[in-house]
């Protein structure tokens, strides 16, 4: 195939690809490999580009699947790659562009082939394809049985040891992507895999010593967000003779192989901002999440999760306990800043959740920061734009808030941080508001959205739990935040009355007809009363712990005092209504004494004066409201499909045929 080829459809006819996948065995020392690996095109950076590539080469890959047991060409290709990687670090230091270029191409082909092999066969059969070596049909030699493990170890070494330069950027991305592909057999199983050949290799044997170094490197890749070098700027100058994409090699080995990729249009699609930001950071984060969510082995816990839950700050000089394996140190400030900047993506929010939930070192560090608004504001913006986010991203953001609100110091400090002009909050102009009041506004808005749209009890529960955790520390609530608390209670009250009326009417109808099944209004009523009681407990907690700090909440209570009348004698709310009723009665009396037609300013002044005179000993004490996030008993049943949905939907560097995927019984939006 010459350099004049311009159609992707020509790829199956390419002589080098046909030889690789054909019936003839190719020795790993054959000059053919130099010819095969001397192609050039801009690496695909999106699922769309990779889909075109896979469709063009699927016949070649399937031909190799059929012939490899007799030829062993897959093993030969891998051995060529392994032999080259032994000199890769030196090549990077010496700026040996040709060597790195061809090594990258070898890995790129391996990755493309692996995706097809994993899709087409079970792991046991895939492992056999790594062992075929002898040229007689169906035979193999024992010394090649660990070729799969050797390739995995080599990828880990490549990721951790090769310096990140312009000329090594693409091979670093490809190494990370190939490791994700190795683990992608999960995509082709409906159930969570608890035993897997690739898991076994990664959790024991030769790969195990690289655990902490790999996790650390992947984290730093995420932190640095290194952008790819400009196209064509990192290897060789392009020819100016019209061939365009061929490298100017004096040897002439790049005789046009796969030039068709860009000439045929694969590389012509304009990349979006998400696609060009940092492929290496994106892929590294996805691989990190995949590794962290591998199921534990029968005889040992997941070492990658152990590394993630135990790493410390570089400024922490205390020794690691001997009981903690795979420990390492990383710059917490850099990690914190990267997490603050990247929360628009599901995977970054999932990483933040993982670290806050499982790594006590990072949680303590974050809660001690004096600039928590940099982290909290992006989380609030996710919740504010709930309509535009998938449900799992919203859940993760909400759980992050719940974990943060478990800390009293956080709940106090957020009311001390003043914000100006929150541009993304469009319902009302907020010229100045505390971070705490904004958090309350966004959480309440999420509850109201859920009540009218998704009606998810789990989301309700976590929103209310976060408000409850903060309630004792409410300070100087913004008047709009105070209004929204009471407005939410008003909405719940109306819903309660509506359900109660429906239940009554249904009961009357049942007396005249026994044939029609009745809706379960009793259950609906029970749920809404649980939520109403929670809201009353939140209001009560604020009044008993920080009444003197919140005149705006008292004002809102007095303005809507009629709402609470129906709950004073209700058996489910009588106890919790005592304090609220006392406050309403006390301040209403003082307002009556002050006369009619009082201005807002005068009412607030009377409230502030009355707080001092209110007999605090008459307020009944209730247990402190504290809710902790508790992970489900089998978290992998949620998190493993979730992580793989993120990999599957990633805009960078991976593509699987949706018809082949079996894992997703959950949303993959």
């Amino acid at each position: 195939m010459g350099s004049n080829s311009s159609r992707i459809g020509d790829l199956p006819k390419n002589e080098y690809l046909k030889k690789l996948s054909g019936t003839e065995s190719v020795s790993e020392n054959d000059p053919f490999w130099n010819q095969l690996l001397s192609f050039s095109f801009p690496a695909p950076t999106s699922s769309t580009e990779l889909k075109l590539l896979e469709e063009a080469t699927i016949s070649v890959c399937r031909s190799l699947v059929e012939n490899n047991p007799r030829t062993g060409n897959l093993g030969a290709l891998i051995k060529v790659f392994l032999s080259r990687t032994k000199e890769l670090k030196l090549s990077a230091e010496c700026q040996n562009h040709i060597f790195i270029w061809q090594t990258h191409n070898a890995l790129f082909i391996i990755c493309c082939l692996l995706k097809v092999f994993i899709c087409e066969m079970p792991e046991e059969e895939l492992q056999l394809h790594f062992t075929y070596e002898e040229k007689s049909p169906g035979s193999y030699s024992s010394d090649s049985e660990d070729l799969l493990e050797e390739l995995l170890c080599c990828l880990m070494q490549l990721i951790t040891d090769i310096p990140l330069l312009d000329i090594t950027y693409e091979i670093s991305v490809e190494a990370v992507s190939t490791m994700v592909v190795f683990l992608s057999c999960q995509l082709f199983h409906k159930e969570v895999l608890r035993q897997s050949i690739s898991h076994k290799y990664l959790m024991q044997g030769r790969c195990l010593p690289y655990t902490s170094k790999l996790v650390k490197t992947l984290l730093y890749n995420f932190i640095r967000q290194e952008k790819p070098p400009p196209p064509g700027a990192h290897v060789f100058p392009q020819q100016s003779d019209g061939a365009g994409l061929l490298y100017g090699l004096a040897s002439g080995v790049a005789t046009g192989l796969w030039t068709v990729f860009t000439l045929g249009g694969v590389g012509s699609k304009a990349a979006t901002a998400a696609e060009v930001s940092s492929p290496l950071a994106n892929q590294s984060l996805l691989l990190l999440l995949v590794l962290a969510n591998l199921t534990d082995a029968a005889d040992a816990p997941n070492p990658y999760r152990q590394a993630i839950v135990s790493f410390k700050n570089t400024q922490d000089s205390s020794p690691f306990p001997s009981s903690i394996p795979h420990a390492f140190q990383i710059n917490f400030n850099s990690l914190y800043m990267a997490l603050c900047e990247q929360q628009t993506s599901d995977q970054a929010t999932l990483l933040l959740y993982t670290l806050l939930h499982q790594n006590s070192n990072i949680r303590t560090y974050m809660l001690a920061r004096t600039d928590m608004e940099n982290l909290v504001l992006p989380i609030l913006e996710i919740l504010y734009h709930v309509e535009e986010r998938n449900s799992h991203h919203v859940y993760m953001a909400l759980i992050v808030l719940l974990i943060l609100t478990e800390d009293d110091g956080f709940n106090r400090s957020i009311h001390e941080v003043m914000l100006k002009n929150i541009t993304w909050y469009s319902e009302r102009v907020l010229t100045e508001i505390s971070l705490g009041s904004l958090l309350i506004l966004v959480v309440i808005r999420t509850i109201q959205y859920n009540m009218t749209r998704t009606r998810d009890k789990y989301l309700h529960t976590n929103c209310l739990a976060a408000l409850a955790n903060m309630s004792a520390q409410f300070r100087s609530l913004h008047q709009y935040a105070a209004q929204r608390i009471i407005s939410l209670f008003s909405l719940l009250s109306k819903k309660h009355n509506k359900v109660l009326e429906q239940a009554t009417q249904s009961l009357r109808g049942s007396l005249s007809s026994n044939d029609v099944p009745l809706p379960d209004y009793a259950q609906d009523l029970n749920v809404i009363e649980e939520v109403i009681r929670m809201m009353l407990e939140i209001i009560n907690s604020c009044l008993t712990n920080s009444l003197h700090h919140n005149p705006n909440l008292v004002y809102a209570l007095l303005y809507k005092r009629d709402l609470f009348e129906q709950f004073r004698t209700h058996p489910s709310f009588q106890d919790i209504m005592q304090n609220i009723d006392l406050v309403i009665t006390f301040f209403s009396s003082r307002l009556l004494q002050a006369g009619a037609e009082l201005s807002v300013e005068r009412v607030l002044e009377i409230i502030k004066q009355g707080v001092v005179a209110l007999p605090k000993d008459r307020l009944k004490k209730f247990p402190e409201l504290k809710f902790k996030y508790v992970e489900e008993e089998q978290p992998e049943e949620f998190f493993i499909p979730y992580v793989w949905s993120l990999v599957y939907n990633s805009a960078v560097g991976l593509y699987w045929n949706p018809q082949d995927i079996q894992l997703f019984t959950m949303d993959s939006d």
Side-chain angles (χ1 to χ4, degrees), residues 23 27 46 58 62 145 180 230 334 351 355 360 383 385 480 497:
T23 57
S27 165
S46 71
I58 189 68
R62 286 177 175 164
E145 287 183 356
V180 174
S334 299
L351 176 63
L355 296 177
S360 59
L383 293 175
H385 296 293
Y480 186 51
N497 293 338

Side-chain angles (χ1 to χ4, degrees), residues 398 402 447 450 456-468 530-531 534 627:
L398 189 54
L402 179 56
I447 294 173
N450 186 51
D456 188 316
K457 184 179 178 181
Y458 181 79
L459 192 144
H460 258 347
T461 302
N462 283 283
C463 284
L464 291 168
L467 288 177
E530 284 181 10
V531 176
M534 190 78 161
F627 295 87

Side-chain angles (χ1 to χ4, degrees), residues 105-351:
N105 288 349
L107 182 55
F108 179 78
I109 297 174
I110 290 169
C111 186
C112 292
L113 293 173
L114 275 176
K115 282 198 292 186
V116 176
F117 273 65
I118 289 171
C119 175
E120 297 275 328
M121 64 190 67
E123 273 194 302
E124 293 77 10
E125 188 177 341
L126 172 66
Q127 191 176 29
L128 285 176
H129 275 276
F130 278 79
T131 65
Y132 297 130
E133 183 178 12
E134 295 294 330
K135 309 314 176 191
S136 55
S139 63
Y140 62 91
S141 61
S142 59
D143 63 350
S144 62
E145 287 183 356
D146 288 328
L147 190 60
L148 176 57
E149 182 180 29
E150 191 174 348
L151 179 56
L152 276 170
C153 284
C154 176
L155 292 173
M156 295 173 87
Q157 287 177 309
L158 198 159
I159 294 168
T160 57
D161 293 346
I162 301 302
L164 188 59
L165 309 170
D166 278 2
I167 60 173
T168 61
Y169 188 94
E170 285 189 3
I171 196 171
S172 296
V173 173
E174 206 61 50
V176 174
S177 297
T178 305
M179 283 201 68
V180 174
V181 168
F182 258 118
L183 294 163
S184 67
C185 53
Q186 176 64 83
L187 284 169
F188 308 100
H189 292 78
K190 293 180 181 179
E191 303 81 20
V192 169
L193 286 180
R194 301 185 183 278
Q195 290 184 326
S196 164
I197 293 171
S198 55
H199 294 189
K200 180 189 72 173
Y201 280 128
L202 287 169
M203 293 190 186
Q204 60 190 35
R206 294 170 56 191
C207 292
L208 189 61
Y210 293 98
T211 296
S212 58
K213 196 172 183 181
L214 178 63
V215 171
K216 183 176 182 178
T217 301
L218 295 175
L219 278 171
Y220 270 125
N221 286 347
F222 167 71
I223 288 169
R224 289 168 180 150
Q225 293 290 317
E226 291 283 355
K227 292 179 171 55
H234 55 294
V235 187
F236 300 106
Q238 295 181 358
Q239 288 182 344
S240 57
D241 60 358
L245 295 170
L246 297 181
Y247 296 139
L249 299 179
S251 63
V253 293
T255 57
L257 175 63
W258 293 6
T259 308
V260 294
F261 277 118
T262 298
L263 294 177
V266 177
S268 62
K269 178 175 175 275
T272 65
E275 290 170 343
V276 299
S277 58
S278 180
L280 180 60
N282 182 80
Q283 297 299 81
S284 295
L285 179 52
L286 291 172
L287 175 58
L288 183 66
L289 292 172
V290 169
L291 292 171
N293 286 282
L294 295 178
T295 53
D296 293 335
D299 54 349
N302 177 349
Y304 303 95
R305 188 183 304 122
Q306 284 184 314
I308 286 172
V309 304
S310 61
F311 70 81
K312 299 194 307 184
N313 196 352
T314 49
Q315 296 180 353
D316 186 347
S317 58
S318 61
F320 283 103
S322 56
S323 59
I324 300 181
H326 315 299
F328 63 91
Q329 290 179 295
I330 202 167
N331 188 306
F332 277 15
N333 180 63
S334 299
L335 178 57
Y336 177 80
M337 298 305 293
L339 286 167
C340 292
E341 293 168 0
Q342 300 299 321
Q343 287 307 303
T344 51
S345 74
D346 278 73
Q347 47 265 42
T349 304
L350 181 53
L351 176 63

